[in-house]
């Protein structure tokens, strides 16, 4: 078994540029268990980076300062750097109002992290209560943490103050995600087989319990317009939910093992899911079809083998904000960067014991957490976008994904919306790809 097909020379694949890492000091009494970085997250405004560095601690780092220390913009370009908590604090005086590094003791192992920011004009869905304990302003930045004891704690990022303690789950809260529309609607995914919807503008009251998973729920993700939620879990399950009606839209079938990570593309037209079956699948979530499979094991394993233990479990997948690049973390000690137009990686880099990954807000950097509590950073590969991709991104600013399926013109539908060109093979002419017959 190999990580790449025989037709592909691994030496010809680009090498992703490693720019730095954040390390956690290890005491002599530290145990291997409990140090894992299960989740990493970037603030929506790009001000902070957060990671669960093990032993119930979350560290918040000003992202601009982190980049400078890594030799990024505004620095002397000294190359990859290593930071630890001791030397990154440095004893320097932080000016008032400037983001500063600090840590939060969450009281238990942290499995899930999510940043949330408020849009004041977005009202709570609870219309019967006029008074609320919390009044979130436009400059409010919150951090939600999902804990081993089933609790969800909400923190003020700037002060480190605990604001809310949500306690309805009965098992580990594995993942958290905020609605992107600024409504401060939070969804928590748990090993108790449920997803719970919380309205933080209504003082954290629980709005709905979404049931349907028969086992652990690993991850959830909102579509960019906040109307659809994807949840994935054990037993090959991929569910899509209508978040206006809190009802199940459809189940997506195609994986052969537990599905552990999911994310929508920035325009909402694509959905990426990662599974222990050694694959990342790219879906059209609006019709439920498979558009592309990104394989991490060759020859492709049979469903029986893919459904069992193997050394190519895909742990995490992330969509870059340019809409073209995807990153995956796998048990074969490698991070891969893909483009949505190719079945082979554009760039690779070694990574031991990777668990999770996320792109920075501007899409220029990928962060990946590992079992030893450290975080590693790479530059996202740069490439010139195709005319087709630029047209698609421009057109989708004014047209939703559902509209192409009802547009006039008979059976001819613009691929710029439906992405059905991903299923076409060996088409050397770029212009026919703009339209296809379905």
């Amino acid at each position: 078994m190999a990580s790449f097909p025989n037709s592909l020379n691994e030496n010809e694949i680009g090498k992703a540029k490693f720019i730095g890492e954040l390390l956690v000091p290890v005491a002599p009494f530290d145990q291997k268990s409990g140090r894992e970085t299960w989740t990493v997250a970037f603030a929506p405004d790009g001000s902070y980076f957060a990671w669960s560095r093990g032993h119930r601690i979350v560290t918040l780092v000003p992202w601009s300062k982190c980049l400078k220390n890594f030799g990024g913009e505004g620095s002397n370009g000294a190359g990859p750097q290593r930071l630890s908590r001791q030397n990154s604090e440095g004893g320097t005086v932080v000016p008032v109002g400037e983001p500063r590094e600090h840590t939060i003791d969450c009281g238990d192992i942290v499995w899930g992290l999510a940043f949330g920011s408020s849009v004041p004009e977005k009202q709570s869905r609870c219309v019967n209560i006029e008074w609320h304990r919390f009044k979130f302003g436009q400059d409010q930045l919150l951090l939600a943490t999902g804990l081993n004891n089933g609790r969800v704690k909400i923190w003020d990022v700037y002060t480190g103050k605990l604001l809310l303690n949500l306690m309805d789950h009965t098992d580990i809260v594995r993942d958290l995600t905020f609605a992107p529309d600024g409504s401060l609607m939070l969804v928590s995914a748990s090993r108790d087989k449920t997803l719970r919807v919380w309205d933080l503008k209504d003082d954290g009251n629980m709005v709905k319990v979404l049931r349907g998973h028969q086992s652990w729920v690993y991850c959830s993700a909102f579509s960019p317009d906040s109307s659809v939620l994807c949840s994935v879990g054990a037993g090959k399950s991929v569910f899509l939910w209508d978040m206006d009606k809190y009802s199940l839209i459809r189940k997506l079938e195609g994986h052969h093992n537990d599905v552990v990570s999911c994310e929508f593309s920035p325009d909402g037209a694509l959905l990426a899911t990662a599974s222990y079956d050694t694959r990342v699948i790219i879906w059209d979530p609006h019709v439920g079809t498979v558009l592309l499979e990104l394989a991490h094991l060759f020859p492709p394993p049979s469903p029986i083998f893919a459904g069992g233990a193997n050394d190519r479990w895909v742990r995490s997948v992330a969509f870059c904000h340019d809409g073209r690049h995807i990153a995956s973390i796998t048990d074969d000690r490698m991070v891969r960067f893909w483009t949505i137009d190719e079945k082979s990686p554009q760039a690779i880099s070694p990574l031991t014991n990777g668990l999770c990954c996320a792109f920075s807000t501007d899409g220029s950097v990928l962060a990946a957490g590992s079992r030893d509590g450290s975080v590693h950073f790479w530059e996202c590969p740069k490439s010139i976008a195709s005319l087709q991709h630029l047209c698609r991104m421009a057109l989708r600013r004014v047209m939703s994904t559902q509209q192409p399926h009802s547009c006039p013109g008979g059976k001819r539908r613009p691929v710029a919306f439906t992405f059905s060109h991903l299923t076409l093979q060996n088409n050397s002419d770029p212009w026919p790809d703009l339209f296809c017959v379905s």
Side-chain angles (χ1 to χ4, degrees):
M1 295 292 184
S3 297
F4 304 99
N6 293 331
S7 59
L8 181 65
N9 187 344
E10 182 176 345
N11 295 325
E12 296 178 356
I13 304 175
K15 307 302 180 186
K17 182 181 179 181
F18 175 74
I19 62 173
E21 59 188 350
L22 297 174
L23 302 177
V24 177
V26 180
F29 55 83
D30 270 356
Q31 301 296 318
K32 291 184 178 180
S33 177
R35 290 172 49 196
E36 298 90 350
T37 295
W38 290 111
T39 180
V40 295
F42 289 90
D45 61 0
S47 59
Y48 275 98
F49 170 75
W51 89 99
S52 60
R53 41 174 270 192
H55 300 306
R56 72 189 196 184
I57 301 298
V58 170
T59 299
L60 292 150
V61 182
W63 178 234
S64 60
K65 292 184 178 181
C66 198
L67 270 181
K68 289 180 181 178
N69 287 325
F70 289 156
E73 50 185 70
S75 71
N76 57 13
Q81 300 289 326
R82 293 189 176 194
L83 299 181
S84 68
R85 181 168 174 264
Q86 296 102 321
N87 62 33
S88 60
E89 287 178 354
T92 57
V93 178
V94 180
V96 176
E98 185 175 337
R100 60 184 180 84
E101 178 180 341
H102 56 283
T103 60
I104 297 175
D105 188 339
C106 298
D108 208 337
I109 295 174
V110 180
W111 289 81
L113 280 180
F115 281 100
S117 57
S118 173
V119 176
E121 58 270 20
K122 268 287 186 182
Q123 299 299 316
S124 166
R125 296 194 181 189
C126 184
V127 297
N128 297 323
I129 300 178
E130 296 183 359
W131 180 88
H132 294 99
R133 178 184 174 190
F134 296 104
K135 301 290 185 181
F136 295 111
Q138 189 168 3
D139 59 347
Q140 191 85 29
L141 184 60
L142 305 179
L143 180 71
T145 56
L147 306 182
N148 195 71
N149 58 12
R151 296 189 179 188
V152 177
K153 292 186 176 181
I154 310 299
W155 310 83
D156 185 311
V157 169
Y158 302 121
T159 66
K161 179 182 178 182
L162 178 63
L163 301 178
L164 293 168
N165 194 355
L166 313 177
M167 300 184 290
D168 283 282
H169 281 295
T170 60
D171 207 338
I172 292 173
V173 177
R174 188 61 185 85
D175 185 68
L176 297 165
T177 182
F178 276 98
D181 61 4
S183 63
L184 289 184
M185 299 295 290
L186 174 69
V187 173
S188 54
S190 172
R191 287 186 179 180
D192 66 9
K193 308 176 187 179
T194 68
L195 299 120
R196 296 176 190 260
V197 186
W198 315 84
D199 186 353
L200 299 194
K201 288 195 173 181
D202 187 23
D203 296 335
N205 283 332
M206 189 173 63
V207 177
K208 189 71 175 179
V209 180
L210 302 179
R211 304 182 188 275
H213 286 271
Q214 301 302 308
S215 190
W216 294 356
V217 188
Y218 281 104
C219 184
S220 63
F222 272 102
S223 63
D225 62 2
S226 303
S227 65
V228 177
L229 180 81
C230 174
S231 64
V232 298
K236 316 172 190 177
S237 55
V238 181
F239 291 4
L240 294 177
W241 306 87
D242 183 326
M243 293 307 288
D244 292 321
K245 302 176 181 178
Y246 300 117
S247 60
L248 182 65
I249 300 173
R250 63 172 58 90
K251 299 178 184 180
L252 304 182
E253 298 183 356
H255 281 295
H256 304 307
N257 205 332
D258 294 354
V259 190
V260 294
S261 181
C262 61
E263 190 163 352
F264 283 91
S265 61
D267 60 6
L270 300 176
L271 171 67
T273 58
S275 170
Y276 289 166
D277 68 5
T278 77
R279 296 177 300 158
V280 169
I281 293 182
I282 310 300
W283 311 79
D284 180 339
H286 301 280
V287 295
T289 57
V290 175
L291 298 178
L292 184 66
E293 293 185 8
L294 305 179
H296 297 71
L297 182 63
F298 296 91
S302 65
I304 294 178
F305 181 80
N310 58 73
D311 62 350
R312 297 297 194 282
W313 282 4
V314 186
R315 295 283 179 174
S316 183
V317 66
F319 241 114
C320 183
H321 299 279
D322 64 7
R324 299 184 61 241
H325 291 92
I326 299 170
S328 61
I329 304 293
T330 319
D331 279 354
D332 64 355
R333 300 183 178 184
M334 200 171 294
V335 56
R336 293 168 171 83
F337 292 87
W338 313 76
T339 65
I340 60 173
D341 301 309
E342 301 290 339
K343 288 189 174 183
S344 300
Q346 179 183 357
I348 58 176
S349 184
L351 173 65
T352 301
N353 295 325
L355 291 176
C356 59
C357 64
F359 278 100
S360 60
T361 307
D362 62 1
S364 62
V365 175
L366 178 78
S370 63
R371 288 191 180 277
D372 63 4
S374 62
V375 185
H376 309 264
F377 299 87
W378 294 267
E379 280 188 4
C380 180
K382 296 179 175 63
S383 58
I384 299 175
S386 66
L387 176 61
Q388 182 186 39
H389 180 77
L390 295 175
C391 290
R392 179 190 304 126
M393 296 298 287
L395 291 170
R396 288 187 55 81
R397 292 180 187 275
V398 295
M399 189 178 229
S400 69
T401 304
Q402 295 93 330
Q403 286 177 295
H405 296 283
S406 59
C407 66
K411 292 186 177 181
R412 294 173 62 84
R413 294 171 181 164
V415 173
F417 302 103
T418 63
F419 283 86
S420 55
H421 76 287
L422 296 181
T423 62
L424 302 178
Q425 302 294 323
N426 301 322
N427 191 344
S428 59
D429 185 356
W431 292 108
D433 276 357
L434 290 176
F435 292 88
C436 72
V437 179
S438 58

